[in-house]
Amino acid sequence: MTDVVLPCLNEAPALPWVLSRMPAGYRPIVADNGSTDGSAQIAAAHGAVVVHVPQRGFGAAAHTGLLAATADIVCICDADGSFDPEQLRRVAEPVRLGAADLVLGRRRPTTLRAWPLHARLANALLARRLRRATGVPVHDLGPMRAARRADLLALDLRDRRFGYPLEMVMAAARAGWRIQETDVDYAPRADGTQSKVTGTVRGTARAVHDMAKVLAR
C-alpha cells in the first residue's frame, strides 16, 4: 500500500476524476484545508480518507496528511486535476526499489496554458537558487513527489505555507538523500477550480515569497 496525500482547498470539480485515476494499491488521503464547496464530502463519497486541517496553508495540509498516513511510502500530489494520478508510479517506484530517497515529478506541460509563463519563470529561478545552495540537480519544485513516511517525518519540516515543498528538498539534500526527478504530465487544472499559486501573479508572488524565506534560512 502507498498513501497519497492530496492537499485540498475547494477542488470539488476535480476530485471525482482525480480519485477515479488512483492506481490500485494507492490510498488517497484528502487533507481538506477548509473547503466551502463540499470537497470533503465528495472525497469521502469517492472512497478517500478525509482529514480536516483548520490551519490554512499548503504545508499545513500536506503535513497533516503525512501524519495521517500509515503506509511506508507516501506520495504528495495536487488535487486540482493538473496531474494524472495514474503517473504516481513514476515517482513512487524508484523509492520502493531503493534507487532514490526522494523523487520529484518534473512538470512537462501538455498545453501552453497548463503552466503560465510567470509561474514557470518563478519556478525556474527558485530551482536555480536551490541547485546553487545544495548542489542537487533539481529543475522543478513541482508538488508530485514520493518518499518514505518515516524519513519525511525525521526531516522535522516546519514551514506550513508554500515554502513546505522547497523546505523538504533542502532538508533532504542536507541529510544526504538521493534525490531524483522524473517527467510527469502537467495539464490545465480542472474547470471550475481556481489556482492558489500559478493561476495569478499575486498567488505566484506569495509562493515565491514563502520559498525565498526558506532559502534564506
Side-chain angles (χ1 to χ4, degrees):
M1 176 70 70
T2 299
D3 282 336
V4 183
V5 176
L6 298 157
C8 174
L9 176 58
N10 294 330
E11 309 289 8
L15 284 171
W17 181 82
V18 168
L19 296 174
S20 74
R21 299 286 293 176
M22 205 62 56
Y26 286 66
R27 181 179 69 154
I29 300 175
V30 173
D32 188 73
N33 207 199
S35 296
T36 57
D37 65 350
S39 288
Q41 293 80 3
I42 291 171
H46 284 79
V49 175
V50 177
V51 293
H52 296 277
V53 188
Q55 180 184 355
R56 284 295 180 93
F58 177 88
H63 201 73
T64 301
L66 175 63
L67 293 173
T70 58
D72 177 34
I73 296 175
V74 176
C75 299
I76 299 176
C77 182
D78 279 354
D80 59 11
S82 56
F83 294 100
D84 185 351
E86 280 280 355
Q87 297 183 357
L88 284 166
R89 297 185 185 93
R90 299 185 186 181
V91 296
E93 283 306 301
V95 177
R96 191 185 315 282
L97 295 173
D101 301 307
L102 173 64
V103 180
L104 309 174
R106 185 176 182 179
R107 287 172 284 188
R108 298 298 190 181
T110 58
T111 68
L112 289 176
R113 69 185 184 90
W115 201 355
L117 181 60
H118 64 270
R120 193 181 307 197
L121 290 174
N123 179 78
L125 177 61
L126 286 166
R128 182 181 179 185
R129 291 181 63 184
L130 178 61
R131 290 195 299 272
R132 288 180 172 177
T134 66
V136 176
V138 171
H139 301 86
D140 185 12
L141 300 174
M144 182 187 276
R145 51 187 61 192
R148 295 192 182 276
R149 177 179 183 272
D151 292 343
L152 285 173
L153 291 175
L155 292 178
D156 193 25
L157 303 178
R158 298 302 178 90
D159 192 279
R160 293 297 180 262
R161 291 166 55 88
F162 290 120
Y164 186 86
L166 175 59
E167 184 187 14
M168 182 185 295
V169 179
M170 291 188 68
R174 292 191 186 111
W177 287 24
R178 297 164 298 164
I179 302 173
Q180 293 184 7
E181 286 184 321
T182 187
D183 289 352
V184 294
D185 293 342
Y186 191 52
R189 59 186 296 121
D191 290 341
T193 63
Q194 183 176 0
S195 173
K196 291 77 183 174
V197 179
T198 61
T200 66
V201 174
R202 180 180 180 183
T204 298
R206 186 169 62 242
V208 169
H209 176 265
D210 289 349
M211 291 186 181
K213 288 172 62 178
V214 172
L215 279 169
R217 291 176 188 169

